[in-house]
Amino acid sequence: MHRSSYGNSAKWEFLKGSKRLERTSKTGYKYTFSEGAIAYPDSIDMPARTMLTSESSLNRSTHVIEDPETGRKRLLTPQEAEAIQGFEKGWTDTGMPEKFRYFCMGNALVVPMITRMGNVLNKIFKDE
């Protein structure tokens, strides 16, 4: 799904919403699957949720935002995914398919957090 292909709003609302569904296992055991709601659309004024390698696909974890210019819901751009993870704009713009750019950002560590942890560890080691 290309970032401009937002898709069916009802499907996104179901995926992001809270639910309690009765299910049956392969062995016939009945159980209730439940999960709480997550932000929909995602806030652009708050820290982002963890990005996964499935970013941009039609699933519960994909970030959906309300575009500040158009007011329409849409998926993140690759550049926005890079910014969330602390990478420079265009970091993944190497000619790879867009889908893989999202995968790379979902697979990455958040650069500022790793830098901060490294600095704290260096201070601890220095002070020992």
Side-chain angles (χ1 to χ4, degrees):
M1 172 185 299
H2 189 271
R3 69 174 158 63
S4 62
S5 301
Y6 167 73
N8 182 329
S9 180
K11 180 71 171 178
W12 285 106
E13 288 175 18
F14 172 77
L15 289 170
K16 305 276 187 174
S18 100
K19 55 191 78 68
R20 292 181 57 81
L21 307 168
E22 186 175 298
R23 294 189 174 166
T24 306
S25 71
K26 291 179 183 177
T27 61
Y29 175 76
K30 289 190 184 287
Y31 64 97
T32 301
F33 168 81
S34 64
E35 60 187 4
I38 60 174
Y40 176 75
D42 288 277
S43 174
I44 59 172
D45 299 324
M46 300 289 292
R49 290 178 293 100
T50 299
M51 188 173 296
L52 302 179
T53 56
S54 58
E55 187 66 41
S56 85
S57 65
L58 179 61
N59 73 71
R60 179 176 167 84
S61 67
T62 291
H63 292 77
V64 176
I65 64 168
E66 187 172 297
D67 189 288
E69 293 179 17
T70 67
R72 297 179 68 193
K73 291 185 182 99
R74 66 170 175 81
L75 304 182
L76 297 175
T77 66
Q79 295 83 9
E80 290 165 336
E82 291 165 342
I84 286 171
Q85 297 297 72
F87 286 82
E88 295 175 15
K89 183 178 179 179
W91 182 261
T92 60
D93 192 9
T94 62
M96 71 177 85
E98 189 171 273
K99 188 82 173 161
F100 195 63
R101 293 178 71 182
Y102 290 108
F103 178 87
C104 288
M105 288 299 95
N107 201 41
L109 297 173
V110 180
V111 174
M113 293 304 301
I114 300 306
T115 302
R116 184 173 179 183
M117 288 188 290
N119 290 338
V120 169
L121 287 171
N122 282 338
K123 183 176 181 341
I124 291 169
F125 297 146
K126 181 181 174 193
D127 292 345
E128 279 188 348

